Amino acid sequence: MNKTRLNTIILVSLFILSLFLVSQTLLNEDINLFKSIDKSNKYNSRDLIASKMIVPQRILVNYSKKTHTVLSPGSEYDIWEDTREILDDIFSYQDKTVAEIKKEEFDGLNNKKSINIEFADKLPIELFAGTFNAPMDGTLERELMDSVKTIHLNLEDENFIVLSDGQKYVKVSNIEYKDNRLSKMLEEIKESKDFINYWPSDMSLGTKADIYIPYRLPKDKKDIIVENDIKISGSIEDDKNIDKIAQGFFDKDLSYLRKVVDNSGVIIYMYNQNTGLLVYPSGIIEYSNTLNEKENERDIYRSLNALADFIANKDRLPENAYISNIEEIESENKDKGYRFTLTYNIEGKNVYINNRTSEENTLINPLVAEVYGDKVINYKRFYRDIIVKENNNYGDKRINPEEVIEKNISRIKEDFMLEDANISSNVQTQLYQDIITSIKDISLGYYDKSSSYYKTPLIDVWIIDIKNNKYIFDSSTGDLIDIKSLE
């Protein structure tokens, strides 16, 4: 047998052997080769949760009693990333000390060099533990703390952190972490030309000290224009872009789906009697499914992993998205699950989207999902893409929140008195003080009227939460734009 023929036989034999091995792999029910290949190009669900969903709403950097600043996780200085690495190691210390402290002691910690990681909503303790590799031992047992909303990381003298849910304050000490890089970063922030000093509101408004207001207002404002991420071209019924979105949600070719367009312009895709997708003319997408198995218990980490996998495989997250609310829910059949709400910010400012399609006085949440066990039952989202972002200097025109309140005090008083019939209208001094002490939060943000599918400019606004209302004011004029209920 000549050498060429021998080589050919060897190659053919190897090819046949490879086909045999592949066929055995595909026949093995425990391994899905195509799923593995698909997953290799997707987010790892835990990475998605840790880096894209479990993200603070803001980071308060403390230097002293009169010097603070507020940053967002997506800012130039990635404090959150460095803090996450520290948190991943802290709970491995065997001899750590855990003790509850008073609120007064916690408030005093903000007068020293430190960082407060502040989440939009309380993270259930199981989710916090799973995210940061923290064992559910004496540190994080439910008897000690149900949830975590704020993480205080000390950067002066000793190493310790404080976990808080807003009512309890638990100090974890006798631990070690390297804070040289963070301390250096904080000094760079303080020395930068863009540094904005925030004062606690007890110094500026004479109210509680856990609200921070910029002492020197930011000079730069962005001209930002957004549009729906769902682009409708031509006839809705024949729109290929929307068809592709539907195919992605079902992981099926269009030939497997039933498509109907109703009289209002809503496109309905059905895979079977239990699974459907609605695409509204406004740009809202709503996916629904049914629960086949009973879910008698909740598992927050399991459900959030399911949502992360769903997003990774069927949809996307906006930049700088984070969980803003976690709610325990129960179906009519007594199945137990969670409702997750996600929002996002642009340039460190939260985006508030007006719900122009609703008669109720509400805002649109960019993403709301209901998950039972490891199954996403309802998924509703409304995303807007940035198409223009330009710097402009409006430093002289932006007014401070104290002036905004003064300009709109008559309207605020009316609302305040409607909510509390016991308030006497002639006690003006006391009423004003009651309003000031009822302020829950003050921040800069962006307001999206969503008045158009395309090319909608965002309005730079002051967001002031007073008692049960969220007031939205134009930051340049102080004019009231909108009022939303906090309840």
Side-chain angles (χ1 to χ4, degrees):
M1 182 181 299
N2 61 43
K3 186 175 181 180
T4 301
R5 183 174 175 77
L6 178 62
N7 288 338
T8 301
I9 292 173
I10 292 172
L11 289 172
V12 170
S13 301
L14 289 172
F15 177 69
I16 293 171
L17 178 62
S18 69
L19 288 177
F20 172 79
L21 291 174
V22 168
S23 66
Q24 292 301 304
T25 302
L26 294 175
L27 289 172
N28 189 330
E29 293 181 357
D30 296 326
I31 300 174
N32 188 328
L33 180 63
F34 295 110
K35 185 176 181 180
S36 300
I37 291 171
D38 184 59
K39 285 282 187 181
S40 67
N41 294 321
K42 299 291 184 182
Y43 290 114
N44 172 276
S45 61
R46 185 185 183 280
D47 289 343
L48 182 64
I49 290 171
S51 64
K52 292 283 188 181
M53 297 167 76
I54 306 298
V55 175
Q57 183 178 28
R58 71 172 190 172
I59 300 169
L60 175 66
V61 180
N62 307 301
Y63 296 92
S64 65
K65 183 175 177 58
K66 292 186 178 181
T67 308
H68 311 263
T69 196
V70 174
L71 303 173
S72 65
S75 66
E76 176 186 353
Y77 300 94
D78 204 351
I79 289 177
W80 171 233
E81 184 64 31
D82 282 58
T83 306
R84 239 174 10 110
E85 291 177 7
I86 289 174
L87 291 172
D88 277 340
D89 296 331
I90 276 177
F91 298 100
S92 62
Y93 283 88
Q94 299 298 318
D95 299 325
K96 57 184 175 291
T97 302
V98 181
E100 189 171 346
I101 63 174
K102 300 291 186 182
K103 183 181 187 303
E104 293 74 18
E105 181 180 349
F106 177 79
D107 290 340
L109 296 176
N110 289 344
N111 297 332
K112 298 179 179 180
K113 193 174 184 180
S114 57
I115 295 169
N116 283 13
I117 304 296
E118 301 177 0
F119 298 99
D121 192 20
K122 297 176 182 179
L123 300 181
I125 199 66
E126 296 86 356
L127 177 58
F128 178 87
T131 302
F132 300 110
N133 298 321
M136 289 293 290
D137 56 13
T139 311
L140 296 176
E141 287 178 353
R142 267 196 173 273
E143 289 75 10
L144 186 64
M145 180 170 280
D146 288 336
S147 58
V148 175
K149 192 173 191 300
T150 302
I151 306 168
H152 177 90
L153 180 70
N154 189 56
L155 297 174
E156 190 172 304
D157 304 325
E158 63 173 314
N159 289 157
F160 67 84
I161 67 169
V162 179
L163 307 177
S164 170
D165 61 2
Q167 284 77 42
K168 287 186 177 181
Y169 303 87
V170 176
K171 183 178 180 180
V172 183
S173 55
N174 198 24
I175 53 179
E176 294 292 334
Y177 50 81
K178 295 180 180 179
D179 59 12
N180 294 341
R181 182 174 168 181
L182 270 175
S183 294
K184 183 180 178 182
M185 197 182 300
L186 263 58
E187 290 306 313
E188 290 178 1
I189 293 169
K190 190 177 179 181
E191 297 301 321
S192 70
K193 63 181 179 62
D194 297 323
F195 179 78
I196 299 168
N197 192 16
Y198 281 69
W199 278 8
S201 54
D202 61 341
M203 296 178 62
S204 55
L205 290 173
T207 183
K208 54 188 177 181
D210 54 355
I211 299 172
Y212 290 82
I213 303 171
Y215 172 66
R216 176 176 60 83
L217 292 173
K219 291 183 178 180
D220 66 314
K221 289 172 67 175
K222 301 280 187 180
D223 281 342
I224 297 176
I225 297 176
V226 297
E227 67 179 10
N228 287 4
D229 76 325
I230 302 296
K231 310 291 192 302
I232 299 175
S233 57
S235 169
I236 293 178
E237 189 168 358
D238 299 324
D239 195 298
K240 302 302 180 185
N241 293 325
I242 299 178
D243 288 343
K244 287 180 181 178
I245 292 171
Q247 291 176 101
F249 270 90
F250 293 105
D251 197 23
K252 299 288 182 183
D253 185 81
L254 192 62
S255 60
Y256 288 88
L257 307 178
R258 183 186 175 194
K259 179 181 176 181
V260 178
V261 181
D262 72 8
N263 293 333
S264 65
V266 178
I267 308 174
I268 305 166
Y269 296 89
M270 297 291 294
Y271 173 58
N272 51 40
Q273 292 182 341
N274 302 321
T275 311
L277 182 76
L278 304 179
V279 181
Y280 295 87
S282 63
I284 293 174
I285 291 178
E286 185 170 10
Y287 169 91
S288 60
N289 204 341
T290 54
L291 191 63
N292 299 321
E293 298 179 2
K294 193 71 179 172
E295 291 292 342
N296 296 315
E297 296 181 356
R298 295 184 179 90
D299 184 333
I300 182 71
Y301 205 64
R302 179 185 175 212
S303 293
L304 192 52
N305 261 297
L307 176 58
D309 281 338
F310 185 94
I311 294 171
N313 288 286
K314 299 181 184 298
D315 200 15
R316 67 180 182 91
L317 276 180
E319 287 294 319
N320 301 318
Y322 60 89
I323 292 177
S324 58
N325 189 56
I326 300 173
E327 181 183 354
E328 292 184 352
I329 56 175
E330 189 170 299
S331 70
E332 293 180 355
N333 296 325
K334 304 300 181 182
D335 294 299
K336 301 180 185 300
Y338 291 95
R339 181 181 293 116
F340 299 101
T341 302
L342 279 82
T343 188
Y344 61 93
N345 66 61
I346 297 175
E347 302 289 334
K349 299 172 188 172
N350 285 340
V351 179
Y352 300 88
I353 308 172
N354 180 48
N355 190 355
R356 65 184 179 83
T357 62
S358 172
E359 294 181 359
E360 299 178 3
N361 191 28
T362 59
L363 296 167
I364 295 179
N365 293 303
L367 173 59
V368 179
E370 296 181 356
V371 187
Y372 293 84
D374 60 359
K375 193 168 184 180
V376 177
I377 298 302
N378 189 269
Y379 181 92
K380 190 174 183 178
R381 62 89 148 172
F382 178 73
Y383 292 166
R384 305 273 272 173
D385 291 337
I386 299 173
I387 56 175
V388 174
K389 182 163 58 176
E390 296 178 349
N391 284 312
N392 278 299
N393 192 324
Y394 297 101
D396 296 332
K397 292 185 178 180
R398 181 184 271 152
I399 62 178
N400 62 45
E402 294 96 324
E403 292 176 291
V404 170
I405 293 171
E406 289 290 345
K407 180 174 181 176
N408 295 275
I409 192 63
S410 297
R411 172 57 193 268
I412 296 172
K413 283 180 179 179
E414 289 177 13
D415 296 337
F416 207 85
M417 292 175 68
L418 282 173
E419 293 178 19
D420 193 341
N422 296 320
I423 295 177
S424 174
S425 60
N426 58 2
V427 189
Q428 296 299 318
T429 303
Q430 182 60 44
L431 179 57
Y432 180 81
Q433 191 57 39
D434 289 343
I435 290 171
I436 295 300
T437 55
S438 297
I439 295 174
K440 298 177 180 179
D441 193 29
I442 299 175
S443 62
L444 285 167
Y446 287 115
Y447 183 70
D448 182 355
K449 288 185 175 180
S450 68
S451 55
S452 173
Y453 305 145
Y454 309 108
K455 297 182 179 180
T456 303
L458 299 185
I459 304 172
D460 192 279
V461 293
W462 280 111
I463 308 295
I464 305 180
D465 295 345
I466 303 177
K467 205 171 183 179
N468 298 320
N469 288 325
K470 182 183 293 293
Y471 293 89
I472 302 174
F473 304 98
D474 188 302
S475 67
S476 296
T477 65
D479 293 340
L480 179 63
I481 297 175
D482 206 348
I483 302 176
K484 303 297 183 184
S485 174
L486 291 171
E487 295 181 329

